[in-house]
Amino acid sequence: MGVVTAVCRNEEYTFTKPVRSSITLLAGLGVEGDVHQGVTVKHRSRMAQDPTQPNLRQVHLMHAELFDELRDKGHAVEPGEIGENVTTRGIDLLGLPTGTLLHLGPEAVVEVTGLRNPCLQIDGFSKGLLKEVVGKGSAGELIRRAGIMSVVLVGGVVSPGDEIQVELPAEPHRPLEKV
């Protein structure tokens, strides 16, 4: 079991999202009041490709353990500064299979859709940060570590300190891919 350590949202397209005392998740839409809320894609690059594609990136979750690692490498990153909505601790987000359900607090449920694919803007926040969150594995495969994306199945209020329960999908499990 994990815990929510911070929640963030922003009404405007900016790289960072201000920390809030709570956020409200809306079923099928995302974070109430967040610029990325919607049934169809809201990320600018995705809208430019095809604005009718489904929004598989309604809620962005990132593990606080990554911030600890980045701090040790000279990158001071705090919750919301690189765009996530929910910061977690105690769950291996990147190791979850596609379709995992995360119960956030007493009501909200999100379904994990895939990995965040960070863009070059991340280096604008801290030079060299992109190479810390996107790298190559031993077999030359691309490794993305900038959190996971999800869609809201059941709405509800999410606040720091809320417990997170993980519900794995039926096997066979499918590894996360970029969305």
Side-chain angles (χ1 to χ4, degrees), residues 139-154:
E141 73 280 12
L142 205 55
I143 307 280
R144 292 174 177 86
R145 301 181 339 121
I148 63 173
M149 307 307 286
S150 65
V151 295
V152 182
L153 297 183
V154 179

Side-chain angles (χ1 to χ4, degrees), residues 3-26 29-38 42-43 55-64 67 77-89 93 102 104 108 110 113 116 146-152 156-162 164:
V3 66
V4 174
T5 61
V7 293
C8 310
R9 72 171 166 76
N10 199 342
E11 302 85 4
E12 301 174 11
Y13 281 106
T14 61
F15 188 69
T16 61
K17 293 183 185 280
V19 173
R20 309 294 180 155
S21 59
S22 67
I23 57 173
T24 300
L25 301 186
L26 302 173
L29 294 173
V31 180
E32 182 177 49
D34 192 82
V35 71
H36 296 113
Q37 172 191 328
K42 300 301 176 197
H43 288 77
N55 188 2
L56 302 177
R57 300 164 56 101
Q58 293 175 358
V59 180
H60 175 201
L61 297 98
M62 191 169 296
H63 49 298
F67 298 160
V77 180
E78 297 297 327
E81 289 185 331
I82 54 177
E84 82 280 4
N85 299 112
V86 178
T87 309
T88 69
R89 187 169 289 281
L93 294 178
L102 298 175
L104 306 174
V110 298
T113 56
R116 175 187 184 192
I148 63 173
M149 307 307 286
S150 65
V151 295
V152 182
V157 175
V158 180
S159 304
D162 282 350
I164 304 170

Side-chain angles (χ1 to χ4, degrees), residues 68-143:
D68 300 340
E69 287 178 41
L70 294 173
R71 198 171 297 110
D72 291 345
K73 294 182 178 186
H75 300 281
V77 180
E78 297 297 327
E81 289 185 331
I82 54 177
E84 82 280 4
N85 299 112
V86 178
T87 309
T88 69
R89 187 169 289 281
I91 295 177
D92 177 13
L93 294 178
L94 302 177
L96 297 173
T98 301
T100 297
L101 301 183
L102 298 175
H103 298 258
L104 306 174
E107 302 172 312
V109 180
V110 298
E111 180 179 352
V112 176
T113 56
L115 295 167
R116 175 187 184 192
N117 189 32
C119 65
L120 287 173
Q121 282 185 314
I122 205 164
D123 270 349
F125 176 78
S126 180
K127 189 162 180 56
L129 186 56
L130 183 62
K131 73 176 183 172
E132 297 298 337
V133 297
V134 178
K136 297 276 185 178
S138 58
E141 73 280 12
L142 205 55
I143 307 280

